[in-house]
Amino acid sequence: MVEIPQGGFSAPKGVPEYVGPDFVAVRDALVREADRAGYGHLELPVFEDTALYARGVGESTDVVSKEMYSFADRGGRSVTLRPEGTAGVVRSVIEHGMDRGGLPVKLRYAGPFFRYERPQAGRYRQLQQVGIEAIGVDDPALDAEVLAVADAGFRALGLTGYRLELTSLGDAETRPAYRAELQRFLETCDLDEATRERARINPLRVLDDKRPEVREQLADAPLMVDHLSDAAAAHHAKVKQYLDELGVAFVENPRMVRGLDYYTKTTFEFVHDGLGSQSGIGGGGRYDGLMAELGGQELSGVGFGIGVDRTLLACRAEGLEVAPARRVEVFGVPLGEAAKDHLVGLVGQLRRAGIRADLAYGGRGLKGSMKAADRSGARYALVLGDRDLEAGTIQIKDLGDGTQTEVALADAAAAVDRALEG
């Protein structure tokens, strides 16, 4: 028999829990902006074949080499808790033939993702994301739309202290020549053997190294934006033009390297300086070869993943109230069993009418029930006792100023609706 640990059970290390409306408000605000732009919901599996991420994300990335939760299931298959969303979305598009209809395929997702990292504020082993992917059309206007959706989500929450950093990681014509030049540069650097191996597999990954002694040596490294092909440069220029037309502010960061191998052309990150070292609140880019790499058509895609956890921390850093303080609008206070019988039905009627309503359960007295009403944040309490039942009335109490109004019990729902509109 498994024993209860001393002190009781607790959540796994690095797994945050959210109690209250703030987390839901942030997540839903981000999702709402994707809905407004026509992105349909996709519910992704929580785990996938390990090879999907090894092939799609890139074996040289930290995500694949260090951070994945991979294990053998009871059938001996290697599966991995999803570390990111794009590879799973592309797999789903291919598997279900969504790319055989109208393009682009526009999908959005939300939920938990898993990475084995050293936990700290803003960096968790179970992280929450909202993401969108637009697959099948290589159009800089679509890149700009994806960026605008993320920007609109942050603005809807009232955030102002963030910035969009933007660059281009080139195309199939750009990258071979740049890769060769970068490798020549890296050969002149004093790198440890593990870093040299990463440079051999994918030299761009070395540019993402956070160690000060490595970053110092990379100060004069060649930049991708200085080696763009004519087509990639034209694409990047159009993205910036469309962002200007959409009113989305950005700064260019030519040294940006995202942590996933599949990015090409437009690459971006939203950064909030109020979060310390974990300043990225979202990012993404275009991925021209991922569909074909995973067995699909030669179709391009573009998307983002926004960290709900970090966005919530950014809202708190700016002192924003992102969720209504009121859990409910109306709270029923029954004084006796007969009154509760009536209020159960009335609360259900209010909920069906779209009014958030709750009820004092457990046979509490008046004092305890009114305390519960205050804690709920409700604007009004519906107080019903035996005398009210005999008279066919109910008391509507304004919990703000303490005033109380008596109305006919049969008209209670309509009276509550009028009071809430007033």
Side-chain angles (χ1 to χ4, degrees):
M1 182 176 178
V2 177
E3 295 184 1
I4 297 176
Q6 187 176 4
F9 290 105
S10 59
K13 186 177 181 180
V15 178
E17 295 179 296
Y18 298 100
V19 179
D22 286 3
F23 171 82
V24 174
V26 170
R27 181 197 62 198
D28 290 355
L30 299 172
V31 167
R32 193 158 48 243
E33 297 305 323
D35 289 345
R36 285 176 177 161
Y39 288 78
H41 177 71
L42 174 62
E43 192 69 27
L44 289 169
V46 174
F47 61 88
E48 300 257 17
D49 188 317
T50 298
L52 172 70
Y53 299 116
R55 182 153 190 146
V57 176
E59 294 189 58
S60 69
T61 64
D62 285 349
V63 171
V64 172
S65 64
K66 300 178 182 178
E67 299 170 2
M68 294 203 310
Y69 278 96
S70 300
F71 54 93
D73 67 10
R74 295 193 176 188
R77 294 169 290 262
S78 179
V79 296
T80 295
L81 296 178
R82 59 189 187 191
E84 60 92 51
T86 302
V89 172
V90 171
R91 188 268 311 148
S92 183
V93 168
I94 297 170
E95 181 176 354
H96 300 292
M98 287 184 263
D99 55 325
R100 305 295 176 178
L103 298 175
V105 180
K106 297 170 70 173
L107 299 168
R108 56 94 169 161
Y109 58 86
F113 293 80
F114 306 87
R115 295 188 185 181
Y116 190 85
E117 298 188 280
R118 183 172 58 84
Q120 64 185 78
R123 185 170 69 183
Y124 307 121
R125 290 175 176 173
Q126 177 177 302
L127 53 140
Q128 299 283 341
Q129 281 193 354
V130 168
I132 70 174
E133 309 293 345
I135 296 170
V137 175
D138 185 358
D139 187 336
L142 195 56
D143 298 37
E145 175 188 275
V146 166
L147 286 156
V149 168
D151 184 67
F154 295 137
R155 286 190 287 106
L157 291 164
L159 285 170
T160 58
Y162 67 92
R163 67 181 177 276
L164 167 59
E165 297 187 352
L166 180 70
T167 193
S168 173
L169 290 182
D171 56 12
E173 182 182 343
T174 304
R175 292 172 79 117
Y178 174 72
R179 177 188 175 111
E181 182 170 343
L182 180 58
Q183 282 181 322
R184 284 193 294 272
F185 173 85
L186 293 174
E187 287 172 2
T188 69
C189 298
D190 182 18
L191 304 175
D192 60 80
E193 206 49 50
T195 307
R196 288 206 175 279
E197 179 61 17
R198 292 176 73 195
R200 186 188 64 78
I201 298 171
N202 183 355
L204 270 71
R205 299 293 307 118
V206 181
L207 298 179
D208 198 33
D209 200 304
K210 300 298 188 293
R211 291 172 294 177
E213 64 273 19
V214 177
R215 296 187 71 83
E216 185 178 345
Q217 296 185 72
L218 298 177
D220 296 324
L223 302 176
M224 177 75 82
V225 291
D226 296 330
H227 296 75
L228 296 179
S229 67
D230 291 343
H235 185 279
H236 190 47
K238 290 296 286 186
V239 171
K240 293 186 287 185
Q241 175 192 325
Y242 289 131
L243 288 176
D244 287 338
E245 292 175 1
L246 289 166
V248 178
F250 64 91
V251 294
E252 292 212 55
N253 179 0
R255 295 188 177 276
M256 184 194 311
V257 178
R258 298 286 296 159
L260 308 175
D261 278 357
Y262 49 63
Y263 287 121
T264 58
K265 295 180 184 169
T266 303
T267 309
F268 58 90
E269 185 169 23
F270 288 90
V271 176
H272 196 290
D273 289 330
L275 301 187
S277 62
Q278 303 301 316
S279 60
I281 57 176
R286 179 163 285 283
Y287 40 92
D288 283 351
L290 185 58
M291 277 278 288
E293 182 70 23
L294 296 180
Q297 299 187 74
E298 288 277 0
L299 294 177
S300 185
V302 61
F304 67 62
I306 293 176
V308 181
D309 313 272
R310 292 192 188 175
T311 303
L312 177 55
L313 290 175
C315 290
R316 290 173 177 169
E318 293 192 23
L320 297 174
E321 184 178 303
V322 296
R326 303 182 190 279
R327 179 168 56 83
V328 294
E329 299 164 291
V330 180
F331 197 91
V333 177
L335 306 178
E337 283 299 311
K340 185 166 74 172
D341 292 346
H342 280 77
L343 276 179
V344 166
L346 178 56
V347 165
Q349 184 181 351
L350 293 172
R351 290 171 180 168
R352 288 192 294 275
I355 296 170
R356 289 178 288 125
D358 200 357
L359 182 67
Y361 294 101
R364 303 177 190 180
L366 177 61
K367 186 176 180 180
S369 295
M370 292 307 297
K371 283 184 177 180
D374 288 334
R375 285 195 299 270
S376 76
R379 289 175 60 186
Y380 296 98
L382 300 177
V383 184
L384 185 64
D386 292 338
R387 291 182 182 178
D388 300 302
L389 285 172
E390 290 176 5
T393 59
I394 190 170
Q395 310 299 319
I396 301 179
K397 183 171 184 177
D398 187 319
L399 294 173
D401 61 20
T403 58
Q404 191 161 293
T405 305
E406 183 178 270
V407 301
L409 185 55
D411 297 332
V416 166
D417 194 44
R418 288 193 298 271
L420 290 171
E421 288 181 353

